[in-house]
Amino acid sequence: MPLQDFSHSEPLTMGVELELQILSTHDFDLAPQAVDLLRETARHSGAWDIKPEITRSMIEIGSSIQHQHGPLLAELLDMRGQLAHAARRLNVAIAGGGTHAFQHWSQQQIYPGERFQYISELYGYLAKQFTVFGQHVHIGCADGDRALWLLHALSRYVPHFIALSASSPFVQGQDTGFDSARLNSVFAFPLSGRAPFTTSWAEFGVYFDKMSATGVVQSMKDFYWDIRPKPEYGTIELRVCDTPLSVHKAAALAAYLQCLCRQLSLERPFEPAEDDYLVYTFNRFQACRFGLEGEVVDPKTKQRQRLRDDILRTLSRLDEHALDLGAVDALQGLRDTLFDGNDARWLRQCRAGGEPLRAVMEQSAQRWMSA
């Protein structure tokens, strides 16, 4: 299948997708009730949508196209309210977080659907292990060339979004030592990681044709890159964030990305280069493992610094853009996160007093459904 043309969209518009956990209110393990929840929410009011994900204990909600943080947050709050109401009717709970703290992959059930069955047959047990939960943010781009420029320009900031959103310290009952263990499940897929360094849509089309000719890929959906172009939407899609524990954090992360894209596009503080990726894997690992305490290497200057400090400096450069985009409060909330700690820290604090993981998941669900 040839690569489709890159659709034009209004630059810097944004959309958010959130993968969410469905929990039993009896033991707060994952509950395979996606079909029931989708039925209950089929007549929801609003421009957002809701759809199944790869296993029956997850759903994905997606916002409409938004221009500013305030309306995006209002829509996410509306989503949350209607979902929470439907969940209570079914006696289940909804939670954010990048992983469930104690579920076991072997107990998960693949959602009935052609693509999900294809993934299950291709990847075996990895498909069930893919019961992890992320936030994806789309940013509108005028054309494919500018989309690829922005994709590569954002590569040095990928650790920011991993560390700020990290909410997956626990896997199958154990503290992994990672702030974002979710991404370890994503990295297991052969077409994950970084996109190839192509700088024009025509050049990317040549790459796609070569990959398609091998039979390895059939569409853009087969790429699990950290950032990937979405030609049918006219966007680039950032995919590294864990699902936060609240919709407020989800909206703030989208606003941060929008402000950053505006600053990069208007000011062009540097030109992306293939060598920028020399430190990419190291920086990404530091963010996953240590969160805001990680260290990153600047691909241009080769200087090492604390990730928290790098985010703080970046935020200081975005004040003017945040003002123009109505995102001042959102970015201030992220500044607070730098000192208060990310969601992974909050989950560990819930556990620190000897609380069972069941109680941690209960508190997580209460936070998402009401915070």
Side-chain angles (χ1 to χ4, degrees):
M1 180 184 297
L3 181 66
Q4 67 186 95
D5 292 337
F6 193 92
S7 300
H8 170 82
S9 64
E10 184 178 347
L12 300 177
T13 50
M14 58 181 169
V16 168
E17 297 163 345
L18 296 173
E19 296 164 343
L20 298 169
Q21 308 187 42
I22 307 173
L23 307 179
S24 163
T25 53
H26 169 65
D27 58 6
F28 288 90
D29 199 351
L30 289 176
Q33 290 190 243
V35 172
D36 300 323
L37 189 59
L38 290 168
R39 184 187 64 247
E40 286 291 322
T41 56
R43 297 181 180 177
H44 70 78
S45 62
W48 50 275
D49 66 0
I50 177 172
K51 58 187 178 182
E53 254 299 337
I54 189 164
T55 59
R56 291 174 180 259
S57 300
M58 27 186 337
I59 55 166
E60 180 182 279
I61 57 175
S63 76
S64 60
I65 299 171
Q66 296 290 338
H67 293 78
Q68 290 197 333
H69 168 258
L72 173 63
L73 176 58
E75 185 173 55
L76 292 177
L77 288 169
D78 176 57
M79 289 184 194
R80 187 198 63 186
Q82 294 195 51
L83 275 174
H85 182 67
R88 292 187 183 102
R89 289 201 301 268
L90 294 170
N91 198 28
V92 296
I94 308 294
T99 57
H100 185 278
F102 59 87
Q103 67 89 18
H104 197 280
W105 65 267
S106 64
Q107 298 172 347
Q108 301 312 310
Q109 304 169 25
I110 299 296
Y111 191 93
E114 183 177 348
R115 176 157 179 81
F116 298 143
Q117 292 299 324
Y118 164 76
I119 293 173
S120 179
E121 291 170 6
L122 177 62
Y123 292 113
Y125 82 106
L126 290 177
K128 291 186 177 181
Q129 286 201 332
F130 211 39
T131 306
V132 291
F133 309 85
Q135 172 179 351
H136 304 161
V137 184
H138 292 260
I139 297 292
C141 301
D143 57 55
D145 289 358
R146 278 178 273 197
L148 290 171
W149 185 93
L150 191 55
L151 182 155
H152 295 303
L154 285 169
S155 65
R156 74 174 306 278
Y157 300 101
V158 161
H160 291 202
F161 291 92
I162 294 173
L164 286 167
S165 69
S167 59
S168 52
F170 301 114
V171 174
Q172 295 187 28
Q174 300 297 318
D175 188 329
T176 63
F178 280 71
D179 273 18
S180 177
R182 177 189 73 93
L183 283 173
N184 292 329
S185 296
V186 180
F187 297 158
F189 285 76
L191 298 176
S192 61
R194 48 158 289 199
F197 191 76
T198 56
T199 57
S200 71
W201 195 245
E203 185 183 1
F204 184 82
V206 172
Y207 166 82
F208 182 88
D209 289 345
K210 289 179 180 178
M211 291 297 291
S212 181
T214 68
V216 173
V217 301
Q218 299 177 13
S219 73
M220 287 299 301
K221 289 184 178 180
D222 294 318
F223 295 113
Y224 293 89
W225 296 328
D226 296 342
I227 314 175
R228 70 182 179 188
K230 291 288 284 184
E232 64 270 36
Y233 296 156
T235 66
I236 56 169
E237 178 189 16
L238 179 75
R239 300 169 50 83
V240 296
C241 295
D242 287 356
T243 297
L245 301 184
S246 72
V247 294
H248 288 86
K249 173 69 76 64
L253 288 166
Y256 181 33
L257 181 61
Q258 183 191 37
C259 291
L260 188 54
C261 288
R262 187 175 193 263
Q263 187 250 345
L264 291 171
S265 298
L266 293 180
E267 300 177 16
R268 294 225 170 192
F270 56 85
E271 285 300 317
E274 174 67 50
D275 280 357
D276 293 346
Y277 288 100
L278 291 174
V279 295
Y280 183 82
T281 303
F282 172 83
N283 289 349
R284 187 176 59 178
F285 170 80
Q286 284 281 316
C288 290
R289 174 68 174 87
F290 302 108
L292 298 168
E293 300 299 324
E295 293 187 338
V296 291
V297 177
D298 187 302
K300 298 297 186 185
T301 67
K302 307 302 186 288
Q303 293 180 336
R304 184 179 296 205
Q305 59 188 320
R306 187 78 68 184
L307 184 49
R308 176 184 283 105
D309 296 335
D310 193 38
I311 297 172
L312 200 56
R313 291 189 186 95
T314 303
L315 286 169
S316 70
R317 297 195 296 268
L318 299 181
D319 287 342
E320 177 185 346
H321 302 284
L323 185 62
D324 291 342
L325 292 170
V328 173
D329 290 344
L331 267 57
Q332 183 56 51
L334 294 180
R335 283 188 178 92
D336 294 341
T337 294
L338 295 176
F339 301 99
D340 298 339
N342 58 22
D343 287 346
R345 181 180 180 184
W346 184 87
L347 290 165
R348 286 190 170 106
Q349 288 174 340
C350 291
R351 177 70 161 158
E355 292 290 326
L357 288 174
R358 173 192 178 280
V360 173
M361 290 307 304
E362 182 175 7
Q363 291 179 65
S364 180
Q366 289 172 351
R367 181 170 178 173
W368 194 88
M369 293 175 74
S370 61

